[in-house]
């Protein structure tokens, strides 16, 4: 595997960026297959003719490259990876046994379910690693894991969101796969897609749902998928909005007590005088004289001479 990674040549001899990109895509696809076989993601590699899709792919960035599609998939894998990491840290097998959100009735079954969830979590982490490496192999910059707010408080919430995320991931891969131009990367993406479908079936069955509700599943458009998962991602804008709301609340509380000035005087002057002078004299001069000279004289001369 290391030899394959090192064999990618970013030579300066440019015979066309697209040709070089496709060549690197083929190597990256092979690299993914090698990695996938060691992570429980092996797949059959029968050769076959590619069928032309008459319908446009459900991937919004039509001018994008395979890197854009892979980064889209990586965004979802980061989300799922973080979700299972959170869930497995929050709940144990006994929690799933005691919850009404699962069909588990024995400790043995609870252990099996928990092990299955651990395996799913390991798969999601492996998907993140694989996609990250391939994006880098293709000369792109992998998207990073964001900050998330899953809002999960109990096993019922975890199982419900797990089912939603898995089914969303399955539909997302189905929608974006036709936009992949490299046959090697496409085969690998479909291999990951099938594993995500297995995850969805396991989660649905454990929660008492239907593991295979449709004969043919519908793909999902990129815009719909991102809109669905968007509320789970804590963006910088959301953090800024929360900070602004807190500041406005503090300012609102301060205005209720500060309309009369810093010390509660009717005028709002620093020391509570009616005319705003620093020492409270009627004239407002710095040292309390009627003329306002620097040293308190009646003439206003610098040294106080009349």
């Amino acid at each position: 595997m290391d030899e394959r990674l090192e064999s990618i040549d970013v030579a300066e001899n440019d015979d066309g960026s697209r040709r070089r990109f496709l060549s690197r895509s083929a190597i990256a696809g092979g690299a993914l297959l090698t990695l996938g076989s060691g992570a429980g993601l092996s797949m059959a590699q029968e050769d076959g003719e590619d069928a032309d899709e008459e319908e446009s792919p459900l991937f919004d960035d039509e001018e994008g490259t395979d890197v854009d599609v892979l980064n889209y998939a990586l965004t979802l894998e980061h989300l799922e990876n973080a979700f299972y990491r959170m869930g497995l840290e929050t709940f144990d097998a006994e929690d799933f046994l005691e919850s009404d959100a699962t069909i588990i009735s024995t400790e043995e079954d609870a252990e099996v379910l928990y092990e299955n969830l651990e395996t799913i979590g390991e798969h999601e982490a492996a998907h993140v690693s694989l996609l990250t490496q391939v994006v880098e192999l293709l000369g792109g910059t992998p998207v990073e894991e964001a900050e998330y707010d899953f809002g999960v408080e109990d096993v019922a919430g975890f199982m419900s969101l797990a089912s939603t995320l898995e089914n969303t991931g399955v539909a997302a891969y189905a929608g974006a796969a036709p936009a992949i131009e490299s046959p090697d990367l496409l085969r690998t993406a479909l291999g990951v897609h099938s594993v995500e479908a297995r995850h969805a079936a396991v989660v649905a069955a454990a929660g008492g749902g239907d593991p295979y509700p449709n004969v043919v599943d519908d793909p999902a458009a990129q815009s719909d998928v991102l809109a669905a998962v968007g509320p789970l991602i804590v963006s910088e804008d959301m953090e800024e909005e929360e900070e602004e709301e807190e500041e406005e609340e503090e300012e609102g509380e301060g205005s209720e007590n500060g309309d009369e000035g810093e010390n509660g005087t009717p005028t709002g002057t620093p020391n509570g005088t009616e005319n705003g002078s620093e020492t409270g004299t009627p004239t407002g001069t710095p040292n309390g004289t009627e003329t306002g000279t620097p040293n308190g004289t009646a003439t206003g001369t610098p040294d106080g001479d009349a």
Side-chain angles (χ1 to χ4, degrees), residues 18 48 66 129 162 191 210 243 248:
R18 188 59 190 164
D66 287 354
S129 178
D210 189 348
E243 292 178 357
E248 290 177 358

Side-chain angles (χ1 to χ4, degrees), residues 5-212:
L5 293 175
E6 294 174 358
S7 68
I8 294 182
D9 183 16
V10 288
E12 295 180 358
N13 297 327
D14 189 1
D15 295 331
S17 60
R18 188 59 190 164
R19 181 184 303 173
R20 187 171 64 252
F21 175 80
L22 290 174
S23 176
R24 294 166 68 186
S25 295
I27 298 174
L32 260 181
L33 290 173
T34 302
L35 284 170
S37 63
L41 305 177
S42 59
M43 52 183 288
Q45 302 182 47
E46 295 86 4
D47 294 330
E49 296 182 359
D50 294 332
D52 293 331
E53 293 287 341
E54 294 182 0
E55 296 182 0
S56 299
L58 299 176
F59 186 71
D60 295 345
D61 189 359
E62 296 181 358
E63 301 300 324
T65 65
D66 287 354
V67 169
D68 299 302
V69 183
L70 294 175
N71 261 332
Y72 167 51
L74 181 55
T75 298
L76 302 178
E77 296 294 351
H78 274 309
L79 179 69
E80 291 180 311
N81 180 36
F83 171 73
Y84 283 103
R85 191 171 64 234
M86 174 278 301
L88 293 170
E89 291 174 354
T90 304
F91 307 110
D92 56 23
E94 185 176 353
D95 293 323
F96 289 92
L97 174 61
E98 296 176 351
S99 175
D100 294 333
T102 70
I103 61 173
I104 303 304
S105 59
T106 67
E107 292 183 358
E108 291 77 11
D109 289 343
E111 290 294 339
V112 171
L113 172 57
Y114 197 79
E115 289 174 2
N116 286 339
L117 294 174
E118 287 179 322
T119 300
I120 293 175
E122 291 170 0
H123 284 178
E124 305 301 0
H127 293 168
V128 168
S129 178
L130 299 180
L131 292 172
T132 297
Q133 290 187 56
V134 173
V135 170
E136 291 175 343
L137 287 173
L138 298 177
T141 301
V143 295
E144 298 181 354
E145 182 177 306
E147 182 180 348
Y148 310 100
D149 182 6
F150 297 110
V152 172
E153 298 180 352
D154 52 26
V155 170
F158 173 81
M159 294 297 293
S160 176
L161 186 53
S163 182
T164 298
L165 291 179
E166 292 296 352
N167 284 302
T168 299
V170 171
Y173 271 98
I180 298 177
E181 298 183 28
S182 165
D184 296 292
L185 291 180
L186 176 58
R187 284 195 294 268
T188 302
L190 293 177
V192 175
H193 167 262
S194 66
V195 173
E196 293 294 344
R198 296 173 190 268
H199 295 170
V202 168
V203 172
D210 189 348
Y212 30 78

Side-chain angles (χ1 to χ4, degrees), residues 259-288:
D259 290 340
E260 295 182 350
E262 296 182 10
N263 295 316
T265 62
T267 60
T269 59
N271 294 315
T273 62
E274 295 183 358
N275 55 18
S277 64
E278 295 183 6
T279 57
T281 62
T283 60
T285 59
N287 295 315

Side-chain angles (χ1 to χ4, degrees), residues 245-265 268:
E245 289 177 359
E246 292 178 358
E247 291 177 358
E248 290 177 358
E249 290 178 0
E250 292 176 357
E251 291 176 357
E253 294 175 357
S255 64
E256 293 178 0
N257 300 323
D259 290 340
E260 295 182 350
E262 296 182 10
N263 295 316
T265 62

